[in-house]
């Protein structure tokens, strides 16, 4: 459909220029698509997680994690072991399902007793696209995805971070198409 619109705009532009005997200048635009072409790292760089320490020791209490959730207004933290290696993830859902609903006390429960262990955590690679990360999150019904570079933890993104990237890309596409249709040109 995008190709049809662009072709039609070029045809109309050529016809108008010929009718006025003006030189034709064709401009190609770098128009986005319905699928964001950026990487998951692009989304992380714009995420609130990029500006904070998104890790927490698995030896701390669940209460410590809840305090961080509240302080940073986030829904998950990546857990690390005593050596500083990625060990899992803890989320608000873990707190609700494994502490609050069971009547446990968060100040008396260590994170490692309730978190999702790394062997059960879906992760993204630094080379993954936004689409593949979103697909993983949607098929597994998860809202947060740690980003790995091999065995090294790089970051974490939320589904909200990825959606923001897709929406921004679509808004840019609409602006560029509007500018092109109005004869203003589009950003290259």
């Amino acid at each position: 459909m995008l190709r049809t619109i662009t072709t039609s705009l070029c045809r109309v532009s050529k016809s108008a220029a010929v009718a006025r005997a003006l030189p034709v200048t064709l401009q190609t635009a770098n128009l986005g698509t319905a699928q964001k072409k950026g990487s998951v790292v692009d989304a992380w760089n714009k995420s609130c997680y990029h500006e904070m320490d998104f890790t927490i020791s698995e030896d701390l209490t669940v209460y410590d994690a809840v305090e961080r959730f509240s302080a940073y207004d986030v829904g998950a933290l990546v857990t690390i072991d005593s050596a500083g290696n990625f060990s899992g993830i803890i989320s608000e859902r873990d707190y609700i399902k494994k502490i609050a609903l069971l009547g446990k006390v968060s100040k008396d429960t260590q994170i490692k007793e309730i978190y999702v262990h790394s062997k059960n955590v879906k992760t993204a690679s630094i080379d993954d696209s936004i689409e593949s990360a979103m697909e993983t999150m949607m098929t597994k019904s998860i809202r947060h995805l740690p980003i790995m570079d091999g065995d090294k933890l790089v970051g974490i993104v939320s589904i909200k971070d990825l959606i923001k990237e897709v929406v921004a890309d679509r808004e840019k596409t609409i602006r560029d198409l509007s500018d092109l249709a109005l004869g203003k040109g589009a950003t290259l």
Side-chain angles (χ1 to χ4, degrees), residues 7-155:
T7 304
S8 297
L9 288 171
C10 287
R11 204 174 309 127
V12 169
S13 177
K14 284 181 187 177
S15 299
V18 169
R20 293 181 300 207
L22 298 173
V24 176
T25 304
L26 291 180
Q27 179 179 18
T28 58
N30 180 16
L31 301 174
T33 65
Q35 297 180 357
K36 176 70 177 148
K37 302 250 186 253
S39 74
V40 71
V41 174
D42 295 333
W44 176 64
N45 285 329
K46 296 175 187 170
S47 168
C48 68
Y49 283 106
H50 188 261
E51 303 295 322
M52 62 172 277
D53 178 9
F54 54 86
T55 63
I56 191 165
S57 170
E58 66 184 10
D59 295 321
L60 292 176
T61 66
V62 174
Y63 184 81
D64 295 320
V66 172
E67 280 186 320
R68 278 244 203 118
F69 294 152
S70 179
Y72 291 115
D73 197 24
V74 295
L77 295 168
V78 176
T79 59
I80 55 174
D81 60 21
S82 58
N85 298 316
F86 169 59
S87 64
I89 190 167
I90 183 166
S91 69
E92 292 170 323
R93 282 185 182 177
D94 294 321
Y95 170 74
I96 291 168
K97 290 180 176 181
K98 300 171 186 175
I99 298 293
L101 288 177
L102 298 178
K104 292 185 176 181
V105 178
S106 62
K107 288 184 177 182
D108 297 336
T109 309
Q110 285 187 312
I111 290 171
K112 64 183 167 189
E113 294 176 44
I114 70 158
Y115 76 128
V116 178
H117 193 276
S118 60
K119 66 182 176 190
N120 297 320
V121 174
K122 293 294 178 188
T123 62
S125 161
I126 58 169
D127 299 321
D128 284 351
S129 67
I130 288 174
E131 294 85 23
S132 67
M134 288 181 81
E135 185 176 333
T136 298
M137 294 170 95
M138 296 304 288
T139 57
K140 298 298 179 183
S141 295
I142 56 176
R143 295 182 287 180
H144 298 87
L145 201 59
I147 304 168
M148 305 294 287
D149 184 2
D151 290 337
K152 182 179 179 247
L153 177 66
V154 174

Side-chain angles (χ1 to χ4, degrees), residues 27-31 172 175-177 179-180 184-188:
Q27 179 179 18
T28 58
N30 180 16
L31 301 174
K172 182 184 180 315
R175 276 192 313 275
D176 288 348
L177 285 171
D179 287 349
L180 193 62
K184 296 179 184 177
T187 57
L188 297 174

